């Protein structure tokens, strides 16, 4: 990086074509405020993996000068909108991309201010991993609790706490252990399967890409090594076979005159030609005749592949129906309990009616009961205050106009999630996780 | 490193894009795929074929023709429509100019790029499209990094970046009021390198402009431009024949060439991997200001 010798270039061979085709994908979210050094951390990952180009770097240098920043301000890389640059804030989820020879990464970079819980939830909804920054001088803050709670609520399988700014506490092992212990105690109250801790200095690059020489007491891997090697293929549910029908393909062409294919993205499990299946909600049974793609038929297909299934029998099935295995079926019901993140400008209406999107199904619902609101800073459940405002998280019960085919969110993020839509504005006002 | 039931990142991106394209057809009544003749829209069309195989792609393609395209782009476009038997609609910027709806820029850096917005919005309205899919990627430009897959446009076709609908999981909300429409970007999560590797792996045909060839070019502000009659040259701008290729394909007037001998996909990939300038770095249209793309997008640009 020009003018900053602390950023050194490492050589990455992402042009190795064979290796490139073998890479897998890790989607992660980063949480923390600007002061936590989040932008610096992301900037370093992008720069050290050669994902910042010269013209982008020059544009940032020019912009930093204009904004009167002394150093090159890496936040300008992620803050893309004019209002953000002017006000020095991040408004929305920004998606960033980088790759190393081992893996391709998508970062959902979300702002840390309280009014933007909705953005954190959005970024977390598709993430396999969350990087949560903690300032080594300050330790656990309210927002650390908030970020952790959201990661747990959204069932992000892996959480990596980066205890940052270690340079400002003289790289002391005692301080790191102190914060780590506090975090461990806190994290045990949450439902995160895999929690890790790292002492870093994003500014100086300690333990970001390479192991730090300033912390010989730390024997673990660097952040990048962790991101590259964390095992993620177990994150998808490969047990419960769920195929929500997205679209029915009927070509009516000479070659495929009687072809009737069910197109969709596998929401769980592994489907094989010859499998006995049930179509819900009708309950008709059949066998999978073939799994079709443009490149030819497949023997088997698994989540999250987009394929087209054909069945041995002619069954009347359409968008919103679900193909499952006979002996492993989702729950079917209209009375549903949810954890809800509210995103509407108007408060959630008790007894209000909203539209719902769940898998490939559109239904309507009525709010039956608001059970409690969660204080996301303390995890305290408030059963008195039923006013659910934007960015609040609550447990509610709903009744839907027709049955949903669902699994608990903790079992399957695809069949356990839904969004609520205000029918007057068409705005997405709620994110629901089925309990 | 991957177990037998995990996907490579390109396969995962492909699955995501196919899902998005199918969702468009399921949620909208009259969608269209915007086609520029560039690699990204070619990949989008290829993914659409995958999404509906063995059925036909159930929507038309639409090209917003500035009249300043490379002849190679137009020939490729027409061949593709014929080969796959798809309807290719053409919205003409020249017609918008003739009707007085768009005003031609003057001078050395005159470009019809910005005028495309007028023709695009008119064409969407004339054909009553309720959704226009495009091949924009989030890695291209920072204003695009915050774009949704399903991007809502008001009845003036405008984008309001501060009032976007949150997009959670893979649940896309395409509900709209009369007169509004959506822009959908199926390859949002792909990078330039992903596109090239996918084209190589899937053997997707591309216009010859992407590959190394001899061409008369001249230099302006550090960019090599095609010495075409469509660009007014200064006296000092003397064209010479060089071996070049284009990294992106847009109008003759604003698409910069790079000196390159890369004549195969493998060579292009090697070149992309070692290059230190973004592909839009050669686009004069983005250099106009720090927020050039954001401003055009708000008005309804691609």
């Amino acid at each position: 990086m020009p003018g900053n010798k602390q950023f050194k270039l490492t050589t990455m061979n992402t042009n190795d074509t064979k290796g490139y085709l073998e890479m897998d994908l890790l989607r992660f979210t980063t949480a923390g405020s600007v002061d936590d050094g989040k932008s610096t951390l992301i900037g370093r990952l992008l720069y050290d993996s050669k994902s910042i180009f010269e013209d982008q770097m020059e544009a940032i240098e020019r912009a930093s000068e204009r904004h009167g920043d002394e150093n090159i301000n890496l936040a300008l890389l992620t803050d893309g909108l004019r209002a953000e640059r002017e006000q020095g804030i991040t408004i929305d989820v920004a998606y960033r991309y980088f790759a190393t020879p081992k893996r391709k990464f998508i970062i959902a970079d979300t702002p840390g201010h309280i009014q933007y819980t909705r953005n954190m939830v959005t970024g977390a909804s598709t993430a396999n991993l969350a990087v949560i920054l903690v300032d080594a001088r300050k330790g656990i803050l309210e927002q650390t609790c908030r970020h952790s709670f959201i990661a747990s609520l959204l069932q992000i399988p892996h959480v990596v706490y980066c205890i940052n700014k270690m340079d400002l506490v003289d790289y002391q092992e005692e301080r790191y252990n102190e914060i780590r212990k506090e975090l461990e105690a806190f994290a045990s109250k949450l439902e995160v399967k895999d929690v890790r801790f790292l002492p870093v200095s994003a500014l100086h690059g300690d333990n970001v890409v390479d192991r730090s020489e300033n912390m010989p007491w730390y024997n673990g891997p660097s952040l990048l090594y962790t991101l590259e090697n964390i095992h993620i293929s177990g994150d998808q549910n490969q047990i419960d076979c769920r195929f929500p029908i997205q679209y029915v393909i009927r070509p009516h062409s000479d070659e495929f005159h009687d072809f009737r294919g069910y197109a969709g993205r596998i929401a769980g499990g592994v489907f094989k030609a010859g499998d006995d299946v049930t179509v819900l909600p009708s309950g008709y049974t059949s066998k999978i005749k073939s799994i079709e793609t443009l490149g030819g038929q497949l023997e088997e297909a698994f989540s999250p592949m987009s394929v087209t299934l054909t069945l041995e029998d002619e069954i009347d099935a359409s968008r919103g129906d679900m193909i499952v295995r006979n002996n492993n079926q989702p729950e079917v019901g209209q009375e549903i309990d949810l954890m809800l993140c509210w995103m509407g400008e108007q408060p959630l209406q008790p007894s209000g009616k909203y539209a719902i999107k769940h898998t490939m199904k559109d239904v309507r619902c009525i709010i039956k009961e608001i059970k409690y609101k969660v204080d996301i800073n303390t995890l305290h459940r408030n059963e008195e205050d039923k006013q659910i405002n934007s960015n609040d998280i609550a447990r509610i019960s709903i009744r839907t106009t027709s049955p949903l085919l669902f699994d608990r969110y903790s079992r399957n993020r695809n069949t356990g999630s839904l969004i609520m839509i205000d029918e007057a504005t068409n705005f997405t006002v709620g994110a629901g996780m089925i309990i | 490193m991957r177990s037998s039931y995990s996907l490579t990142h390109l396969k995962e991106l492909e699955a995501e894009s196919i899902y998005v394209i199918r969702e468009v057809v399921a949620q909208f009544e009259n969608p269209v795929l915007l086609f520029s003749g560039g690699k990204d829209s070619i990949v989008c069309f290829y993914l659409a074929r995958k999404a509906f195989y063995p059925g036909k792609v159930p929507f038309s393609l639409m090209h917003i023709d500035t009249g300043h395209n490379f002849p190679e782009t137009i020939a490729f476009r027409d061949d593709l429509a014929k080969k796959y038997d798809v309807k290719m609609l053409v919205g003409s910027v020249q017609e918008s100019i003739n009707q007085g709806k768009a005003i031609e820029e003057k001078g050395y850096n005159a470009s019809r790029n910005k005028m495309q917005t007028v023709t695009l919005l008119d064409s969407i309205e004339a054909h009553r499209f309720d959704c226009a899919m495009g091949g924009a990627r989030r890695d291209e430009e920072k204003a695009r990094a915050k774009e949704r897959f399903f991007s809502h446009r008001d009845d003036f076709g405008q984008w309001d970046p501060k009032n976007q609908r949150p997009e959670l999981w893979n649940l896309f909300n395409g509900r709209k009021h009369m007169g509004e429409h959506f822009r959908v970007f199926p390859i949002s999560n792909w990078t330039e390198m992903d596109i090239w590797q996918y084209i190589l792996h899937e053997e997707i045909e591309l216009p010859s402009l992407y590959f190394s060839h001899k061409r008369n070019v001249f230099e302006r502000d550090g960019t090599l431009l095609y010495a075409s009659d469509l660009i007014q040259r200064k006296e000092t701008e003397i064209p010479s024949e060089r071996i070049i290729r284009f990294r992106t394909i847009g109008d003759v007037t604003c698409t910069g060439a790079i000196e390159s001998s890369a004549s195969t996909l493998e060579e292009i990939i090697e070149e992309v991997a070692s290059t230190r300038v973004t592909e839009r770095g050669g686009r004069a249209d983005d250099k106009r200001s720090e927020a050039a793309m954001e401003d055009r997008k708000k008005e309804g640009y691609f």
Side-chain angles (χ1 to χ4, degrees), chain A residues 58-342:
Chain A
E58 281 166 20
I60 297 165
E61 279 173 26
R62 276 200 306 273
S64 300
E65 235 169 79
R66 198 160 52 243
H67 292 265
D69 296 324
E70 208 170 289
N71 297 312
I72 293 162
N73 184 353
L74 284 166
L76 295 172
L77 247 188
T78 45
D79 294 344
L81 303 173
R82 181 181 288 155
E84 296 176 315
R85 290 192 296 271
E86 283 167 4
Q87 296 165 37
I89 53 157
T90 310
I91 288 171
D92 209 312
V93 186
Y95 293 90
R96 298 284 150 199
Y97 303 82
F98 74 101
T100 71
K102 285 201 169 156
R103 219 166 231 181
K104 150 123 187 208
F105 300 93
I106 300 179
I107 312 174
D109 182 22
T110 62
H113 327 282
I114 185 147
Q115 62 268 42
Y116 294 120
T117 297
R118 119 178 178 189
N119 291 325
M120 279 190 277
V121 169
T122 303
S125 72
T126 50
N128 317 80
L129 182 146
V131 172
I132 299 177
L133 280 133
V134 181
D135 189 324
R137 295 167 303 172
K138 296 174 186 162
I140 300 187
L141 299 176
E142 249 185 33
Q143 65 174 20
T144 318
C145 302
R146 196 155 72 223
H147 301 325
S148 307
F149 175 64
I150 288 170
S152 158
L153 184 71
L154 273 289
Q155 294 277 310
I156 298 180
H158 314 277
V159 172
V160 178
Y161 287 101
C162 284
I163 294 136
N164 190 25
K165 305 198 181 178
M166 287 301 295
D167 53 313
L168 299 180
V169 294
D170 300 326
Y171 298 108
Q172 277 177 56
E173 185 179 9
E174 294 72 28
R175 182 62 185 145
Y176 168 74
N177 284 335
E178 197 181 337
I179 295 172
R180 182 184 166 142
K181 234 176 239 157
E182 276 182 68
L183 284 169
E184 274 171 332
F186 177 74
S188 67
K189 291 189 272 181
L190 301 168
E191 290 172 52
V192 181
K193 293 178 187 115
D194 174 23
V195 183
R196 300 174 191 223
F197 306 89
L198 281 170
V200 305
S201 164
L203 187 67
H204 299 285
D206 296 292
N207 290 331
V208 177
V209 171
D210 299 313
R211 287 269 302 277
S212 167
E213 286 168 16
N214 292 317
M215 289 174 273
W217 47 265
Y218 173 74
N219 297 317
S222 71
L223 175 61
L224 186 64
Y225 185 91
T226 307
L227 295 174
E228 282 182 319
N229 291 286
I230 211 156
H231 187 68
I232 51 169
S233 60
D235 297 348
Q236 293 276 350
N237 180 327
Q238 302 298 13
I239 296 159
D240 309 317
C241 296
R242 304 285 184 261
F243 187 80
I245 297 172
Q246 187 178 12
Y247 185 78
V248 181
I249 295 174
R250 304 202 62 185
H252 296 297
S253 60
D254 291 344
E255 194 185 346
F256 297 99
H257 190 74
D258 295 320
F259 185 94
R260 188 188 184 92
Y262 301 102
R265 193 171 188 191
I266 298 171
V270 182
F271 287 87
K272 295 187 174 76
D275 277 353
D276 292 310
V277 292
T278 301
V279 181
L280 295 174
S282 67
Y284 289 124
T285 55
S286 185
K287 260 187 204 311
I288 294 177
K289 187 175 165 188
S290 64
I291 303 170
E292 304 281 346
T293 72
L294 179 66
Q297 294 186 346
L298 303 176
E299 280 299 305
E300 59 179 10
F302 49 90
S303 176
M305 288 167 77
S306 283
V307 292
T308 300
L309 304 181
T310 64
L311 301 180
E312 292 285 357
D313 306 279
E314 277 210 22
I315 286 173
D316 183 28
S318 55
R319 176 172 167 91
D321 293 352
M322 197 183 282
I323 299 174
V324 303
R325 295 300 302 276
N326 299 349
N327 54 2
N328 177 336
Q329 301 198 3
E331 292 182 50
V332 184
Q334 285 173 269
E335 307 280 344
I336 293 165
D337 272 20
L338 299 175
M339 288 305 291
L340 178 77
C341 174
W342 190 247

Side-chain angles (χ1 to χ4, degrees), chain B residues 1 16 107 146 201 254 257:
Chain B
M1 190 156 79
E16 177 179 81
K146 300 189 175 186
H201 184 245
C254 64

Side-chain angles (χ1 to χ4, degrees), chain B residues 263-279:
Chain B
S263 57
T264 64
L265 287 169
E266 286 87 348
E267 285 166 4
I268 290 174
I269 285 168
E270 206 170 305
E271 190 182 277
V272 170
S274 60
T275 184
R276 301 297 301 140
V277 178
T278 62
E279 54 183 336

Side-chain angles (χ1 to χ4, degrees), chain A residues 124-127 154-157 409 411-417, chain B residues 169:
Chain A
S125 72
T126 50
L154 273 289
Q155 294 277 310
I156 298 180
Y409 184 78
R411 178 121 192 128
N412 190 322
R413 289 170 95 184
N414 298 315
T415 52
S417 55
Chain B
W169 299 289

